Amino acid sequence: MAAHLSYGRVNLNILREAARKELREFLDKCAGSKAIVWDEYLTGPFGLIAQYSLLKEHEVEKMFTLKGGRVPPADVKNIIFFVRPRLELMDIIAENVMSEDKLQPPREFHILFVPRRSLLCEQRLKEQGVLNSFTNIDEYILDLIPYDGDLLSMESESAFRECYLENDQTSLYHTAKGLMTLQALYGTIPQIFGKGECARHVANMMLRMKREFAGSQNQILPVFDTLLLLDRNVDLLTPLATQLTYEGLIDEIYGITNGYVKLPPEKFAQKKPGEGGKDLPTEPKKLQLNSAEELYAEIRDKNFNAVGAALSKKAKIISAAFEERHNAKTVGEIKQFVSQLPHMQAARNSLANHTSIAELIKDITSEFSSFSLLSLSHFLNYFCQVLPFSSRVTSEVFFDNLTVEQEFMTGVDTDKVNTYIEDCISRKDPLIKILRLVCMQSVCNNGLKQKVLDHYKREILQTYGYEHILTLNNLEKVGLLKPQTTTRNNYPTIRKTLKLWMEDANEQNPNDISYVYSGYAPLSVRLTQLLARPGWRSIEEVLKMLPGPHFEERQQLPTGLHKKRQQGENRTTLVFFLGGVTYAEIAALRFLSQMEDGGTEYVIATTKLINGTSWIKSLMDRPEAQIS
Amino acid sequence: MAFVTANWNPLGEAFYRKIELYEMGWNLKDGLRECLVAAAPYGGPIALLKEPQRRSPSVRPQLEIYSSSGVAMASFPWKSGVVKQLGWTVCDDLLCIQEDGTVLIYDLFGNFKRHFSMGNEVGQSQVVEAKVFHSPYGTGVAIVTGASRFTLATNIDDLKLRRLPEVPGLQGAPTCWAVLTQDRQSKVLVATGADLFILDYTACTAVSPPGLSPQATSIVHMCVSFSYKYLALFTDSGHLWMGTANLKEKLSEVETKVRNPPKQMAWCRRPKSQQPSVVIMWDGHILVAGECKNTISYHLEGVSILVPELDGVRIINGTHHELLQEVPASCEEIFKIASMAPGALLLEAHKEYEKESQKADEYLREIKEQNLLGEAVKQCVEAAGHELEAETQKTLLRAASFGKCFLSNFPPEPFVSMCRDLRVLNAVRDYTVGIPLTHTQFKQMTVQVLIDRLVYRKLYPLAIEICRYLKTPEYQGVSRVLKHWACYVCLCITVWCVCLPQVKISLSLSPSLPLPQLLEFEPRSGEQVPLLLKMKRSQLALSKAIESGDTDLVYTVVTYLKNEMNRGDFFMTLRNQPVALSLYRQFCKHQEQDTLKDLFNQDDDHQELGNFYVKASYKEKRLEAQIGHLQSAVDEYNKAKNEFAAKATEEEMRLLRFQKKLEEEKGESLVGFSLHDTIRTLLAVGLHKHAEQLYKDFRVPDKRYWWLKLTALAEKEDWEEIEKFAKSKKSPIGYLPFVEICVKHHNKYEAKKYVSRVTPEQKVKAHLAVG
């Protein structure tokens, strides 16, 4: 079911199994039939740990969403609340418990706090006079959720906002706890590197927690050699840029949540003979995206311009495989062919799906993407319906946007008001797009001249409404927007030293991580790469220009657990992005893992998988939304 | 050295020795006379209840607890009912079994822990006799009532009372009885006259010991060995029968020629012993009886008790504490007069060597010739373990070490671990600690249990020293001890704080209190912080909570402070702790908006105050209230020197007023729209003049206004107005947008009108659009 988690360098299925075991243990604690009342926010992350079938095996008969009033009637013995430790939610739970029908046979109440129980919440329940109504109050420590074979996420949407805007370090505490759990399963990580205030804080907490558990020495041979903690605000630029890998583009355009993407259904209509394509599905098509799907694992990290070729190559292979049937003469050969059919059909479906997605994306990005699906179309007609070529307008918008982004990243005219941005505002393009561009300009110019900044702000307020003054204020607080304080712009120095812009990015056969943004090499990943070789000492100057301290800590291993590295054996580094990571950055790290002479393999962990849009959105304040 | 054998007495094949352990530190006027005494095995504590039968309330009996060396540990007047029997549990808790069947449990320091009852029916018939016994399942209690019924609890920590069946023909108390542990069940062996019965949960079975001397008419005393494997019976004819506890085999029978019933009997048999032997005590003397006809007799001074141990019997009287045991084989080999055992020769060799005599070599040669040097070293090491005198231990170990020099591949571990063990044993045998363990007992009980016992006696430093010395793994050893220690100290302080309010004040004022040190013993902040709060060290609690990074803990302290302190102090406290402050702000944002304002006010955070008013304005329905909040925001932004925000807010107020006015005049819903949307709406409904006014008043950039007007008109498909607009003056956005917007609205005819005016470089694009 989650086999893809075990394929990576580090078997992350251990973590998932540990989480499942704990869940089962809790469910068994509440004997008898049960209904779960969900804090809606948790359903997505839980889906990555356990499907409904697991819950069902443990007598979960009904599931509800947490809301005020009474828990819907259900003939069960136990009602279990799965909630985050939030005061608002405690009030709702209290209401639920108090309005429980006294006439019905009594039901037992339980609370499972995710990821941690909270004295504050229990206090609130006590004030409400319902604390004693609960048979079990427990915590389910779900910090790091295995997302893919080399990817862990805490799925904490607001982590960046909390840490950098509100100075609320709760998510960092959970990060530290999560890393402790990870170390309990995979051994103490001997080396910790970090850059940024939050990274420092997390490392401090980890070392402190280790002291707290002093005595219970971990006797597991360490799987990870190094942990690198990176603050998102060390690299504010990367998430602002449009990701150009296949997976990155899917996320930019349609948004991937908890490993699933919802796509417009038209292209996925199965053409069956006789139906004539009458009733097109109206429900969005929901697809799970992870490395369990062989084809997806192969193409997701490619630059989108290289996806076409990969798809057509795959098409030929599958086609050839199907042709085999003509060669199958003997009964044995036919039997062998038939035995391979399920696998081939799965591959064919997978190919059809991704060809459709690629087309959807191509419609939007076509000027950018030079690949041609022509060679494919013959084959594809065989499987799926091809829709007419869509509007030229969207693709042009995409192209113009990309051009401006690349101008900013290469440092062209970053100190002036940009006419493209002005035009976009005039056309009242989506606000988030404007904010992404303005922030990008500010970051690439190490702040904007007061006049330029005020002009943008005024334009935005006049066009999109005064209420966004709060959002703009937030962006200034986290440093995405700022007035220029010194005349010296250090971004060009950083760009040159770290080689953030590569003119000759090879999209088809990449030789550098810059392919993920067709030229721009993500700063965060460059830092990671340089840490492995030749080490940060070589870029001390640049590190000083980036915000927050950089540091190195060592954790003592018990004697006998020191790893003896085989000749040519790769090191394993866990890179933790505090405040979110993009799919393009992940792709870049995977690229580094696969480099033949790289010497290091990476496992990625983060508070949340983000893209520019979801990221900026998390920083927005909408006062009017609070009224309704 | 010559006198090692001085206290040896032969009995059959073996020797017995009586060694003095301590001269008792207690000062008992009448010795142990008229006392109920219980001494715990493995050198455990001794409990004394003086004159338990005294019932007068004016003079209550005194219950006293001493260590094995007679150092007082607790003493208190007994206020409860009449005690029948005292006993110790396996974990050093004191059991006091009362006449009415209630069992009270006290700890080592005389603190009451809990009580339980041996059954309701005991109340009337009363307990006649009780016994405390130890089994693999824990500590058990057995009683016999005046109604001759036995009740038994195998494990007092998991209390299950078993009422045993009646014994036929038994009236009143039985002559004697004992508890056996057989087949994973506790049973009672009862003697009435000459009859023996075994009582288990279901039945009463008559048994008879094989080969019991026929002269006997009654069994007057019995005892079971430490391991519950052997049984000894004493008959009225003065015969002592020894056999296995299952009564299947007789080991020996000795005639003692004493017909009085003994006061106490105890098995004195070490594991791997050469013969079974029992110690029998009467007033004034004891006998050791074994397989042979002879016995050893010792004179006793004063009232004594026997404490059976794994490898011997301890004898305690009013002044002394002694150990009676069979001389261990290795000691016998070495010290027996004229012994030629390799160990004895090695010891001799070493003695000569110290005297620098060449005889050393002769002795050594003799051992080596027999190829027994390894054996000799082993004997010396082993014997050292069995000796209690440090000097003797040293002599033997030195001899062993000397012998080892002549061996090439003798494993060092036994020697090293024996040295370590002896150091620990000598430390705990010390008078001040008073745990007289033999090496055999120590090995049986394990280091962990020893450390537990030391911790239970609050001998923390010694426990830590031992852990460090024996290199016990940290989590089993030092940190476990420290944890107990810290808990104990914290508990003491909490107790003071809670019980004595006046002490509390002095505590919080006293900087000399070693609180920070205490906290080092408790590194888990989750445990530490609530404790600190209880001790009213809230500031420290807050900084500890922040240090831990656990925000929930910080919240807990903050909520506590909020309720405890006045508002001013509370805010000041937060001000010094930015982390706590921002968390509290988050809390207020969701829960207490007004407090949030006060917080910003106190910090003079005008920017945030401005934002606060802006947010507040959106919660208002009425325009005037909205504008009022915005005006406050303007003031705050001005104070914050944020000119841009102040101006933008003023503009917003102007816009709102304008929208309101127009709404009232034209009935067009406008309030709350952005400037952009307001102008577009105005254009859409044809209020061009008003749109123009806004454009000028709010200094909308030309380019944006052109875009805006063009789109708005195109949406209306007002081609005439567009044409007029295009001609009004030179377009700041060029004419390509005109072309494109017409095409977008599928009006190619109109689009063509503007193609000619498009700049040359965009012409191609324009033509393409038109098609």
Side-chain angles (χ1 to χ4, degrees):
Chain A
M1 190 161 34
H4 62 286
L5 296 178
S6 351
Y7 295 152
R9 168 71 186 251
V10 175
N11 183 357
L12 295 181
N13 214 16
I14 298 176
L15 186 62
R16 185 172 181 269
E17 280 309 318
R20 284 164 70 92
K21 182 167 158 254
E22 214 178 306
L23 182 63
R24 283 196 292 260
E25 276 168 10
F26 174 78
L27 289 174
D28 290 341
K29 231 192 240 178
C30 318
S33 57
K34 35 203 153 268
I36 296 179
V37 182
W38 287 96
D39 172 356
E40 211 169 6
Y41 180 89
L42 291 175
T43 49
F46 257 85
L48 293 165
I49 296 295
Q51 271 77 31
Y52 184 51
S53 55
L54 180 137
L55 300 176
K56 223 168 164 180
E57 275 165 31
H58 294 265
E59 296 180 81
V60 175
E61 291 173 1
K62 287 258 165 54
M63 309 233 264
F64 306 112
T65 309
L66 181 66
K67 51 176 183 276
R70 184 181 295 176
V71 179
D75 187 20
V76 289
K77 201 169 149 259
N78 302 285
I79 302 280
I80 312 175
F81 295 96
F82 277 39
V83 287
R84 286 167 297 158
R86 298 268 172 124
L87 289 178
E88 314 85 88
L89 300 178
M90 294 308 111
D91 294 346
I92 302 177
I93 290 178
E95 197 184 328
N96 279 180
V97 172
M98 283 187 289
S99 51
E100 174 77 353
D101 200 338
K102 299 285 182 295
L103 299 174
Q104 296 290 325
R107 303 191 281 192
E108 276 185 42
F109 290 102
H110 313 266
I111 296 188
L112 188 62
F113 283 115
V114 184
R116 210 143 264 122
R117 64 192 288 180
S118 135
L119 292 167
L120 197 65
C121 286
E122 280 168 50
Q123 184 64 31
R124 173 58 68 99
L125 290 174
K126 202 170 168 188
E127 282 164 24
Q128 301 266 20
V130 293
L131 188 65
N132 291 328
S133 317
F134 296 97
T135 320
N136 274 314
I137 296 183
D138 234 310
E139 62 183 1
Y140 183 59
I141 303 170
L142 187 66
D143 295 312
L144 284 167
I145 306 164
Y147 208 97
D148 212 324
D150 56 355
L151 181 58
L152 299 160
S153 170
M154 294 169 61
E155 291 301 282
S156 159
E157 200 104 50
S158 47
F160 184 83
R161 184 189 170 103
E162 283 167 13
C163 293
Y164 298 93
L165 187 61
E166 291 161 347
N167 199 16
D168 172 355
Q169 291 165 336
T170 309
S171 57
L172 297 184
Y173 180 69
H174 292 166
T175 304
K177 281 279 186 185
L179 284 167
M180 294 312 284
T181 314
L182 205 66
Q183 291 189 87
L185 291 171
Y186 298 97
T188 307
I189 307 176
Q191 258 186 324
I192 305 177
F193 290 93
K195 170 76 188 161
E197 292 290 347
C198 293
R200 182 69 262 186
H201 188 62
V202 169
N204 284 348
M205 280 192 284
M206 282 172 70
L207 297 175
R208 195 193 144 79
M209 286 171 190
K210 188 158 184 257
R211 277 210 307 280
E212 293 195 3
F213 295 116
S216 52
Q217 261 173 356
N218 189 336
Q219 295 295 341
I220 299 168
L221 195 72
V223 174
F224 297 104
D225 300 288
T226 311
L227 166 67
L228 171 60
L229 294 160
L230 279 179
D231 272 33
R232 185 71 270 176
N233 82 339
V234 169
D235 173 16
L236 291 171
L237 176 57
T238 305
L240 292 170
T242 305
Q243 309 170 63
L244 295 177
T245 57
Y246 181 53
E247 191 169 34
L249 272 170
I250 297 177
D251 187 37
E252 291 279 346
I253 299 169
Y254 299 105
I256 303 175
T257 38
N258 301 127
Y260 286 89
V261 66
K262 282 183 184 165
L263 296 161
E266 298 84 14
K267 296 229 171 181
F268 296 93
Q270 288 288 322
K271 198 176 173 187
K272 281 178 196 154
E275 279 182 23
K278 245 187 233 161
D279 35 25
L280 279 171
T282 48
E283 283 279 297
K285 170 96 173 168
K286 201 172 171 190
L287 276 180
Q288 190 173 18
L289 299 175
N290 60 37
S291 56
E293 193 182 342
E294 195 186 319
L295 175 62
Y296 186 64
E298 210 173 291
I299 60 171
R300 63 173 169 188
D301 299 320
K302 286 191 188 305
N303 185 295
F304 188 64
N305 280 344
V307 168
L311 284 177
S312 76
K313 198 172 120 201
K314 190 79 182 177
K316 276 178 202 142
I317 294 170
I318 293 178
S319 204
F322 272 96
E323 286 308 310
E324 282 287 308
R325 71 175 184 272
H326 300 300
N327 302 337
K329 292 280 180 338
T330 69
V331 179
E333 281 168 349
I334 293 172
K335 199 171 164 193
Q336 200 197 350
F337 177 81
V338 170
S339 72
Q340 284 170 353
L341 260 181
H343 176 73
M344 283 161 62
Q345 261 153 355
R348 191 172 66 178
N349 287 340
S350 163
L351 179 66
N353 280 339
H354 287 290
T355 312
S356 304
I357 299 173
E359 267 188 74
L360 280 169
I361 295 173
K362 184 175 159 286
D363 290 347
I364 291 168
T365 65
S366 66
E367 292 241 343
F368 152 72
S369 54
S370 53
F371 83 79
S372 145
L373 286 171
L374 268 181
S375 56
L376 270 180
S377 58
H378 165 76
F379 173 75
L380 288 171
N381 281 333
Y382 192 78
F383 299 120
C384 66
Q385 192 179 12
V386 176
L387 283 174
F389 216 61
S390 72
S391 67
R392 194 182 60 85
V393 184
T394 39
S395 60
E396 193 173 297
V397 167
F398 184 85
F399 182 69
D400 290 347
N401 192 56
L402 207 61
T403 313
V404 175
E405 279 184 12
Q406 300 203 336
E407 274 173 19
F408 287 157
M409 289 191 285
T410 45
V412 178
D413 288 340
T414 48
D415 53 346
K416 293 200 241 23
V417 172
N418 183 287
T419 45
Y420 176 73
I421 297 182
E422 275 190 314
D423 290 350
C424 288
I425 297 176
S426 303
R427 286 198 303 264
K428 211 182 172 190
D429 280 355
L431 175 61
I432 292 184
K433 173 184 165 185
I434 309 294
L435 293 175
R436 271 177 87 162
L437 284 171
V438 176
C439 290
M440 193 173 200
Q441 189 180 351
S442 169
V443 172
C444 290
N445 200 47
N446 192 23
L448 296 169
K449 280 187 197 142
Q450 191 71 50
K451 227 177 77 192
V452 177
L453 181 61
D454 284 356
H455 176 74
Y456 279 137
K457 277 159 70 179
R458 192 157 177 274
E459 292 280 285
I460 289 168
L461 294 189
Q462 286 198 348
T463 308
Y464 298 92
Y466 168 74
E467 70 268 21
H468 297 294
I469 193 166
L470 299 172
T471 300
L472 291 175
N473 188 266
N474 289 349
L475 294 176
E476 283 186 60
K477 263 200 219 160
V478 301
L480 274 167
L481 273 185
K482 60 179 180 188
Q484 209 170 35
T485 42
T486 53
T487 43
R488 217 183 116 63
N489 174 11
N490 56 23
Y491 173 71
T493 323
I494 298 171
R495 187 185 68 224
K496 275 172 212 145
T497 322
L498 298 184
K499 297 203 182 78
L500 296 188
W501 186 261
M502 304 296 275
E503 273 307 333
D504 46 355
N506 187 339
E507 292 163 349
Q508 302 292 334
N509 296 304
N511 49 13
D512 181 73
I513 55 169
S514 56
Y515 84 93
V516 297
Y517 287 99
S518 292
Y520 167 69
L523 195 159
S524 55
V525 183
R526 200 59 111 196
L527 287 181
T528 313
Q529 187 183 13
L530 288 169
L531 176 69
R533 197 177 296 170
W536 275 358
R537 195 152 293 179
S538 61
I539 50 164
E540 200 81 19
E541 287 302 309
V542 173
L543 282 176
K544 275 184 195 148
M545 289 179 196
L546 297 168
H550 56 278
F551 60 88
E552 179 185 349
E553 297 283 353
R554 275 172 197 280
Q555 298 200 91
Q556 214 62 47
L557 289 180
T559 40
L561 290 189
H562 292 281
K563 218 180 192 174
K564 286 180 193 69
R565 205 177 308 284
Q566 306 290 318
Q567 185 75 36
E569 190 190 335
N570 284 344
R571 299 174 62 83
T572 309
T573 297
L574 176 67
V575 190
F576 204 118
F577 289 86
L578 301 162
V581 68
T582 65
Y583 286 100
E585 286 172 297
I586 294 170
L589 284 170
R590 285 186 184 138
F591 170 77
L592 290 182
S593 297
Q594 282 154 14
M595 281 215 310
E596 267 173 27
D597 53 350
T600 308
E601 283 185 55
Y602 295 95
V603 175
I604 302 127
T606 183
T607 49
K608 175 77 190 160
L609 290 152
I610 56 165
N611 59 47
T613 306
S614 66
W615 189 41
I616 296 285
K617 210 176 199 168
S618 76
L619 291 169
M620 290 175 78
D621 254 329
R622 294 167 183 277
E624 80 277 35
Q626 285 173 8
I627 310 171
S628 51
Chain B
M1 282 300 296
F3 310 114
V4 169
T5 52
N7 58 354
W8 288 19
N9 286 302
L11 181 72
E13 299 278 284
F15 288 90
Y16 284 78
R17 65 179 177 189
K18 198 165 77 151
I19 312 164
E20 179 174 302
L21 293 171
Y22 301 108
E23 200 167 318
M24 295 307 275
W26 59 33
N27 194 5
L28 301 176
K29 246 194 295 168
D30 304 321
L32 298 177
R33 202 173 306 145
E34 284 187 54
C35 278
L36 259 185
V37 188
Y42 291 103
I46 306 168
L48 288 181
L49 186 64
K50 285 183 191 159
E51 304 177 31
Q53 298 301 330
R54 188 151 58 184
R55 282 166 204 251
S56 145
S58 56
V59 199
R60 296 181 189 282
Q62 192 78 6
L63 191 112
E64 293 172 346
I65 300 172
Y66 295 94
S67 74
S68 283
S69 55
V71 175
M73 296 171 89
S75 165
F76 57 96
W78 185 254
K79 293 178 185 164
S80 214
V82 176
V83 176
K84 269 289 173 201
Q85 179 75 39
L86 295 173
W88 292 94
T89 68
V90 278
C91 41
D92 277 357
D93 280 329
L94 178 63
L95 300 177
C96 305
I97 304 161
Q98 294 191 150
E99 213 172 43
D100 60 358
T102 316
V103 181
L104 294 91
I105 307 181
Y106 290 81
D107 75 6
L108 201 55
F109 297 95
N111 301 310
F112 177 71
K113 286 178 89 167
R114 64 186 177 95
H115 71 90
F116 64 89
S117 166
M118 289 302 289
N120 296 330
E121 71 281 356
V122 183
Q124 295 116 32
S125 51
Q126 306 228 305
V127 177
V128 176
E129 229 186 317
K131 280 188 191 341
V132 175
F133 61 96
H134 305 281
S135 72
Y137 311 106
T139 303
V141 172
I143 56 161
V144 57
T145 64
S148 316
R149 289 298 294 268
F150 286 88
T151 306
L152 192 127
T154 312
N155 181 4
I156 56 158
D157 290 323
D158 176 22
L159 195 66
K160 277 192 200 106
L161 292 178
R162 304 278 189 183
R163 214 161 161 230
L164 302 184
E166 267 180 76
V167 181
L170 178 64
Q171 280 187 348
T175 19
C176 60
W177 58 286
V179 182
L180 307 173
T181 302
Q182 283 175 352
D183 311 328
R184 286 177 286 164
Q185 211 186 46
S186 296
K187 299 176 182 176
V188 171
L189 181 69
V190 195
T192 63
D195 302 327
L196 263 182
F197 298 97
I198 281 190
L199 290 177
D200 59 18
Y201 297 161
T202 49
C204 172
T205 326
V207 285
S208 64
L212 185 65
S213 121
Q215 291 108 307
T217 53
S218 169
I219 295 166
V220 292
H221 209 101
M222 60 172 80
C223 76
V224 188
S225 72
F226 197 78
S227 60
Y228 291 90
K229 269 193 202 145
Y230 303 102
L231 178 72
L233 303 171
F234 192 85
T235 64
D236 58 352
S237 58
H239 285 85
L240 178 74
W241 180 92
M242 286 179 255
T244 54
N246 55 16
L247 291 165
K248 290 210 170 113
E249 195 186 328
K250 175 178 164 179
L251 296 173
S252 86
E253 195 166 36
V254 177
E255 202 190 336
T256 60
K257 302 191 182 86
V258 184
R259 299 206 169 203
N260 303 339
K263 296 206 70 166
Q264 207 185 343
M265 280 185 355
W267 278 85
C268 174
R269 182 196 159 93
R270 62 165 55 251
K272 293 180 211 150
S273 159
Q274 302 184 14
Q275 65 173 344
S277 58
V278 170
V279 180
I280 316 162
M281 179 177 81
W282 291 272
D283 278 333
H285 74 288
I286 53 174
L287 272 187
V288 186
E291 267 175 334
C292 61
K293 275 189 188 150
N294 304 340
T295 55
I296 308 169
S297 173
Y298 291 102
H299 173 68
L300 277 186
E301 242 167 78
V303 180
S304 304
I305 61 151
L306 303 178
V307 187
E309 288 280 6
L310 178 67
D311 56 348
V313 173
R314 284 188 289 137
I315 305 162
I316 303 171
N317 67 18
T319 51
H320 287 85
H321 191 160
E322 292 166 313
L323 173 69
L324 174 61
Q325 63 168 187
E326 183 192 315
V327 176
S330 51
C331 296
E332 190 186 323
E333 296 262 312
I334 290 177
F335 293 119
K336 199 163 73 178
I337 293 160
S339 166
M340 291 300 275
L345 291 174
L346 178 59
L347 188 65
E348 230 19 70
H350 181 244
K351 254 188 228 165
E352 295 301 330
Y353 170 74
E354 298 239 288
K355 279 192 258 170
E356 298 180 13
S357 148
Q358 86 286 356
K359 277 191 192 155
D361 185 52
E362 282 171 31
Y363 283 118
L364 212 53
R365 210 181 289 272
E366 195 173 336
I367 313 172
K368 274 167 126 182
E369 269 164 16
Q370 299 174 60
N371 217 0
L372 283 174
L373 191 51
E375 179 64 26
V377 173
K378 230 174 84 188
Q379 269 181 3
C380 285
V381 171
E382 223 171 90
H386 292 301
E387 289 300 324
L388 295 179
E389 287 288 325
E391 271 316 308
T392 321
Q393 291 168 3
K394 277 185 199 163
T395 317
L396 287 165
L397 287 173
R398 276 198 204 107
S401 160
F402 172 69
K404 236 155 58 74
C405 300
F406 302 95
L407 285 167
S408 53
N409 49 4
F410 188 78
E413 291 86 13
F415 180 76
V416 173
S417 73
M418 182 57 80
C419 289
R420 285 213 183 110
D421 289 352
L422 281 178
R423 225 179 139 186
V424 170
L425 284 175
N426 290 341
V428 299
R429 279 174 199 159
D430 186 88
Y431 177 79
T432 50
V433 181
I435 304 180
L437 281 178
T438 64
H439 190 254
T440 319
Q441 289 165 17
F442 174 63
K443 282 292 153 199
Q444 177 74 23
M445 119 193 249
T446 72
V447 189
Q448 269 80 359
V449 177
L450 177 62
I451 287 165
D452 277 345
R453 298 214 161 175
L454 292 174
V455 165
Y456 197 46
R457 288 170 191 221
K458 306 205 172 87
L459 298 168
Y460 303 111
L462 178 64
I464 290 173
E465 279 305 313
I466 290 179
C467 291
R468 294 214 173 116
Y469 181 67
L470 291 181
K471 302 203 171 66
T472 326
E474 186 100 325
Y475 62 97
Q476 285 180 347
V478 175
S479 32
R480 203 166 52 119
V481 178
L482 284 178
K483 195 174 91 188
H484 283 289
W485 193 356
C487 286
Y488 168 64
V489 177
C490 289
L491 182 77
C492 289
I493 291 172
T494 326
V495 168
W496 294 345
C497 294
V498 176
C499 304
L500 306 165
Q502 67 276 20
V503 175
K504 180 167 65 194
I505 298 159
S506 61
L507 269 181
S508 47
L509 290 177
S510 151
S512 62
L513 199 80
L515 271 178
Q517 285 95 309
L518 286 182
L519 289 168
E520 292 313 308
F521 290 116
E522 179 49 88
R524 284 163 304 162
S525 359
E527 311 279 327
Q528 203 178 68
V529 170
L531 205 59
L532 283 170
L533 282 182
K534 238 181 232 163
M535 287 187 230
K536 307 268 172 195
R537 299 291 292 250
S538 44
Q539 299 279 352
L540 194 56
L542 186 58
S543 34
K544 281 284 162 192
I546 290 169
E547 205 177 288
S548 77
D550 184 347
T551 45
D552 185 51
L553 217 48
V554 180
Y555 272 130
T556 309
V557 181
V558 169
T559 347
Y560 175 85
L561 292 179
K562 194 178 136 204
N563 297 332
E564 286 288 299
M565 291 178 152
N566 69 44
R567 218 171 154 85
D569 290 349
F570 175 55
F571 281 5
M572 277 316 285
T573 308
L574 287 186
R575 212 175 163 175
N576 298 328
Q577 297 283 7
V579 177
L581 180 61
S582 27
L583 284 178
Y584 185 58
R585 271 193 201 142
Q586 281 306 104
F587 172 80
C588 291
K589 212 184 238 170
H590 298 293
Q591 306 283 333
E592 293 173 22
Q593 287 279 337
D594 289 337
T595 318
L596 189 63
K597 197 170 99 187
D598 295 345
L599 275 174
F600 291 142
N601 250 323
Q602 132 127 10
D603 288 353
D604 291 326
D605 193 338
H606 298 294
Q607 175 67 35
E608 282 302 332
L609 273 171
N611 294 347
F612 177 81
Y613 285 119
V614 170
K615 271 180 212 158
S617 83
Y618 282 95
K619 293 213 178 92
E620 294 290 347
K621 292 257 166 7
R622 288 180 317 110
L623 184 73
E624 279 319 305
Q626 278 181 23
I627 291 198
H629 279 306
L630 288 178
Q631 184 55 51
S632 311
V634 172
D635 296 344
E636 295 299 337
Y637 283 141
N638 274 328
K639 278 185 205 155
K641 299 212 164 54
N642 188 340
E643 274 171 54
F644 175 83
K647 231 168 108 195
T649 313
E650 273 169 1
E651 277 189 9
E652 172 70 5
M653 287 158 64
R654 238 166 61 213
L655 180 65
L656 281 172
R657 288 206 184 95
F658 180 89
Q659 288 168 335
K660 182 77 179 172
K661 197 169 127 238
L662 221 59
E663 235 180 60
E664 280 160 8
E665 283 171 15
K666 310 286 175 189
E668 199 64 42
S669 161
L670 289 171
V671 173
F673 281 14
S674 71
L675 181 65
H676 181 100
D677 292 342
T678 314
I679 296 177
R680 212 190 52 206
T681 317
L682 292 176
L683 289 171
V685 296
L687 293 167
H688 292 282
K689 240 205 191 133
H690 290 97
E692 202 78 9
Q693 193 198 337
L694 282 179
Y695 155 58
K696 283 188 182 133
D697 281 2
F698 287 89
R699 291 182 293 118
V700 176
D702 286 347
K703 266 161 80 177
R704 187 146 58 78
Y705 184 65
W706 276 70
W707 266 111
L708 173 54
K709 189 160 175 179
L710 179 61
T711 344
L713 293 177
E715 250 158 48
K716 248 170 80 183
E717 310 212 336
D718 191 346
W719 308 118
E720 208 175 310
E721 195 64 37
I722 290 180
E723 202 169 344
K724 231 162 73 192
F725 182 48
K727 284 174 183 159
S728 64
K729 60 178 175 180
K730 189 173 178 295
S731 161
I733 55 172
Y735 291 91
L736 184 60
F738 282 79
V739 177
E740 283 180 340
I741 206 129
C742 292
V743 174
K744 198 176 157 198
H745 289 274
H746 311 292
N747 195 335
K748 288 199 176 162
Y749 171 74
E750 284 293 328
K752 277 180 187 141
K753 284 185 185 169
Y754 305 102
V755 173
S756 60
R757 303 181 66 175
V758 174
T759 52
E761 55 266 34
Q762 290 184 322
K763 263 226 166 90
V764 184
K765 238 178 176 179
H767 280 295
L768 266 176
V770 178

